Amino acid sequence: MKDIIEQYIRDVVDFPKPGIVFKDITPLLAEPKVFKLTTQELLLLVPKDIDKVVGIEARGFIFGSLLADRLNAGFVPIRKPGKLPYDTYEEPYELEYGTDLLTMHVDAIKEGERVLIHDDVLATGGTALAAAKLVEKAGGKVVMINFLLELSFLKGREKIKDYPVTSLIKY
Ligand code: AMP
């Protein structure tokens, strides 16, 4: 199954800048059977007793909301600054040069809720770590951080070693 999914992930060299090989999942999203299969395979990796699935802007929203639906959980978007309309918690994360912020609505997660974080790609792990911190600021428990793809050579798992981590496809 994984090898079928892998065939629908396109490497785009030098995007968004020279030296980066971008993992483009749009061919996978465009193929109905493979799209469905990917959701089913991700579901096998995650716990079933989840209150909220947190998706990270923007590609984390796609399978994040599908997982939330299948798990009968709520969906919570984590976004870049200035996008969420209500009061937010903020958490910095590292970029190659400098830092940026991730934000989440203050009432998105209730004290003690069991939370699954989802994003499309685990690279250095900085984004996922900031997302986990946001969930904890709201009083939620990060039960798992799940990815469609993991770029193992960037060792992102080391940054999020305090949390259970799963990914469907590892490079
Ligand atoms: P990081 O914080 O380094 O783990 O970066 C993760 C975020 O950047 C995720 O939201 C990914 O969507 C995106 N990202 C990083 N590297 C890639 C890549 N090679 N291909 C596609 N997306 C990437």
Side-chain angles (χ1 to χ4, degrees):
M1 295 297 181
K2 281 188 211 171
D3 37 329
I4 297 172
I5 294 168
E6 224 173 309
Q7 288 167 23
Y8 287 84
I9 295 163
R10 174 166 56 195
D11 281 359
V12 183
V13 177
D14 293 334
F15 182 88
K17 51 186 176 182
I20 306 281
V21 179
F22 192 87
K23 296 290 183 189
D24 177 19
I25 64 168
T26 61
L28 180 160
L29 303 176
E31 189 58 45
K33 286 198 178 106
V34 187
F35 190 24
K36 197 180 281 289
L37 174 67
T38 303
T39 309
Q40 288 163 353
E41 291 289 312
L42 284 172
L43 267 175
L44 298 175
L45 298 177
V46 301
K48 301 296 172 282
D49 51 342
I50 295 294
D51 298 306
K52 298 274 168 63
V53 178
V54 165
I56 304 174
E57 180 175 347
R59 291 180 301 279
F61 293 173
I62 301 165
F63 288 106
S65 49
L66 285 164
L67 288 172
D69 178 71
R70 303 299 192 277
L71 294 167
N72 297 309
F75 177 77
V76 174
I78 279 186
R79 301 205 64 180
K80 305 278 168 58
K83 301 286 187 186
L84 290 171
Y86 186 59
D87 298 341
T88 56
Y89 291 120
E90 296 181 345
E91 184 66 32
Y93 69 105
E94 286 166 38
L95 296 172
E96 202 175 341
Y97 302 102
T99 60
D100 201 352
L101 294 173
L102 287 181
T103 71
M104 185 182 80
H105 274 158
V106 292
D107 61 352
I109 290 167
K110 296 184 188 68
E111 188 76 34
E113 281 190 326
R114 292 170 56 81
V115 176
L116 168 68
I117 295 173
H118 172 82
D119 201 3
D120 65 334
V121 174
L122 171 61
T124 66
T127 308
L129 180 62
K133 294 264 169 66
L134 280 172
V135 170
E136 288 170 349
K137 271 185 187 171
K141 177 172 170 47
V142 179
V143 176
M144 181 176 282
I145 310 180
N146 169 260
F147 302 92
L148 178 52
L149 311 177
E150 175 175 354
L151 307 179
S152 310
F153 54 91
L154 293 175
K155 300 190 170 28
R157 273 190 194 241
E158 287 177 12
K159 203 169 270 174
I160 47 175
K161 62 179 178 326
D162 293 343
Y163 307 95
V165 175
T166 53
S167 62
L168 189 57
I169 295 169
K170 297 175 184 66
Y171 292 93

